[in-house]
Amino acid sequence: MKLFPNAHATHPQWRMAAALVLAQLQAQMAQPQYARKPSLGLLYITDHYVADAVALLRYLGQQLPSVADWSGTVGVGVAGNNVEYFDEPALSIMLCDLPPEQYRVFSGVAPLPLGASAFSAHTALVHADGRTPDLAELLVEMAGRTSSGYLFGGVAASRGASLAFAQHAGGDGAASGVLSGGLSGVAFSDQVGLVSRVTQDCQPIGPQAVVTQAQDNVVLRLDGQPALDVLLQTLGVELNGDPQPALRAVRHTLAGLSNADAPALQGTGHFGADTRVRHIVGLDVARGGVALADRVHEGMHLAFCQRHMAAARADLTRICAEIREELAPESPALPDEQAATQRRICGALYVSCSGRGGRHFGGPSAELQTVHRALGDVPLVGFFASGEIAAHWLYGYTGLLTVFVAPADTA
């Protein structure tokens, strides 16, 4: 695979923004290191262009005839390499150099087949409409349609109408390729190399514990101790006397949860990929419990944590470093053997929570600049979502970085 052409632009008029993007894409496709005839387009727009989405997709299809398939959605912001456009009219596109037999665009109109079929899904990029009933259950069902059980993507974010792009070659159209409701996206076969990581911007502030008693969303005991006592001891505060300092500390604290078969913390002291960070929504003083914004079961692992700018930057840098290490692991192998195990990035997708950008990282585009410094100058597209999807879980206030990779000696 060659590098995936990618471009982004902002302009009050969608046609002008599209023209700017097309000029960038066509210039890249004329260069030997970029794909000349990519077949799959990933398109993300801010909600300023929702009313013109059908015309925009039609125009792009006319100008990029080799791109037969499109997928994408709307966000309150979109991302490109080293830049984010937040709360302004903008679009971001990446054109993927993948053989058509290695992926399948799906939607409610053209669902991904379950069971034996000509195409076998290994992973899937998923765009979800947040108004969809039982969304969490749908993600579990969708993950079951893939052999790896791994999904990545996000929930559309719009102050008005929500939409998704799902246009596939040979389809009956789903008329315009612009849809609303349910799930849509792209399923990939096991021939498509992907590496994905989640950053939750959190720094654990204490050891992990096992939930030994819980009711609904209330953690009652951790390692046999009242959960509220464990929380207060971890924070070094008390509720006796003036409770305000303790309550302020609790308001800045969250909880990382993982199932019984997966520890919340890795050996490095960071949260693992299966850990979901949830807000503390109340304290049950009478029972010594801590209420979380999720259901809790006995046997789960829990670690309290805090979220701030330094933790956000450090954790985002960490996942980028983990991806780079997975692509080019250090080993005592001979140079030619080591080179054979190395892979390179052809393109990247970054989905971030709409509540993370800007000031949370210290300034405009600071989040994407952190990715650029850590990952390098790679093609990147993305959007700011109202929920992030990794594996079969729905996250909040996280960042999800997924890279498309190929052997280092291919071009």
Side-chain angles (χ1 to χ4, degrees):
M1 288 191 297
K2 293 181 179 290
L3 291 175
F4 296 173
N6 73 297
H8 43 81
T10 176
H11 196 279
Q13 299 177 21
W14 70 265
R15 192 176 290 273
M16 289 297 297
L20 292 170
V21 163
L22 286 168
Q24 298 172 59
L25 294 173
Q26 290 162 352
Q28 291 175 15
M29 287 189 285
Q31 300 178 35
Q33 67 269 36
Y34 284 91
R36 299 182 65 86
K37 292 184 177 181
S39 58
L40 171 65
L42 300 182
L43 167 62
Y44 298 100
I45 63 172
T46 61
D47 52 5
H48 296 73
Y49 292 152
V50 165
D52 300 302
V54 173
L56 171 60
L57 183 60
R58 183 183 303 118
Y59 177 71
L60 292 172
Q62 293 169 348
Q63 300 300 314
L64 297 167
S66 73
V67 184
D69 304 296
W70 290 90
S71 182
T73 191
V74 58
V76 293
V78 296
N81 193 333
N82 210 32
V83 66
E84 62 191 47
Y85 300 96
F86 210 89
D87 194 24
E88 60 181 315
L91 71 156
S92 186
I93 294 177
M94 186 166 70
L95 305 180
C96 305
D97 182 28
L98 299 173
E101 64 272 14
Q102 293 183 3
Y103 68 87
R104 177 75 57 83
V105 175
F106 66 88
S107 66
V109 176
L112 191 65
L114 182 61
S117 68
F119 175 80
S120 177
H122 182 66
T123 59
L125 165 61
V126 175
H127 305 120
D129 189 324
R131 301 167 300 179
T132 303
D134 302 321
L135 179 55
E137 289 77 7
L138 279 178
L139 292 175
V140 173
E141 192 273 340
M142 182 66 203
R145 293 173 180 256
T146 68
S147 60
S148 70
Y150 189 81
L151 310 177
F152 61 99
V155 180
S158 175
R159 287 159 292 194
S162 183
L163 62 82
F165 299 103
Q167 180 170 292
H168 54 96
D172 56 13
S176 63
V178 178
L179 311 171
S180 62
L183 305 180
S184 65
V186 188
F188 301 98
S189 76
D190 58 6
Q191 298 300 306
V192 179
L194 294 168
V195 179
S196 189
R197 291 291 187 276
V198 177
T199 173
Q200 304 197 59
D201 294 358
C202 290
Q203 178 179 345
I205 56 174
Q208 70 175 355
V210 176
V211 177
T212 48
Q213 185 180 357
Q215 181 179 357
D216 298 326
N217 69 319
V218 181
V219 183
L220 294 172
R221 288 189 173 269
L222 291 169
D223 289 340
Q225 302 293 318
L228 180 55
D229 289 352
V230 175
L231 172 61
L232 296 177
Q233 291 168 9
T234 300
L235 296 175
V237 296
E238 298 181 353
L239 287 175
N240 299 328
D242 181 8
Q244 292 307 312
L247 294 177
R248 282 195 295 270
V250 170
R251 279 194 290 270
H252 290 89
T253 304
L254 305 95
L257 281 174
S258 66
N259 293 339
D261 58 353
L265 295 179
Q266 298 176 323
T268 58
H270 299 98
F271 285 132
D274 296 320
T275 303
R276 290 91 64 197
V277 174
R278 297 296 186 250
H279 286 279
I280 295 174
V281 297
L283 304 178
D284 188 335
V285 178
R287 296 188 294 173
V290 178
L292 305 180
D294 202 349
R295 293 184 65 86
V296 188
H297 304 286
E298 293 180 8
M300 281 184 161
H301 296 94
L302 182 149
F304 293 111
C305 58
Q306 292 181 336
R307 179 175 279 146
H308 46 75
M309 185 174 67
R313 289 185 170 184
D315 202 50
L316 182 54
T317 301
R318 175 186 65 85
I319 68 164
C320 292
E322 287 184 358
I323 288 175
R324 294 185 67 88
E325 170 59 23
E326 183 163 340
L327 300 186
E330 295 183 2
S331 72
L334 296 174
D336 56 341
E337 294 174 341
Q338 187 171 351
T341 66
Q342 294 184 349
R343 293 175 291 171
R344 61 185 180 85
I345 297 173
C346 299
L349 172 70
Y350 188 61
V351 182
S352 183
C353 178
S354 57
R356 281 165 48 96
R359 290 180 298 176
H360 184 62
F361 279 82
S365 295
E367 183 173 5
L368 273 300
Q369 289 168 2
T370 300
V371 175
H372 180 264
R373 285 193 296 270
L375 203 61
D377 191 18
V378 301
L380 184 145
V381 70
F383 73 108
F384 288 84
S386 60
E388 301 76 58
I389 298 167
H392 62 272
W393 298 107
L394 184 61
Y395 290 81
Y397 222 74
T398 62
L400 173 66
L401 178 62
T402 303
V403 299
F404 295 82
V405 299
D409 60 350
T410 65

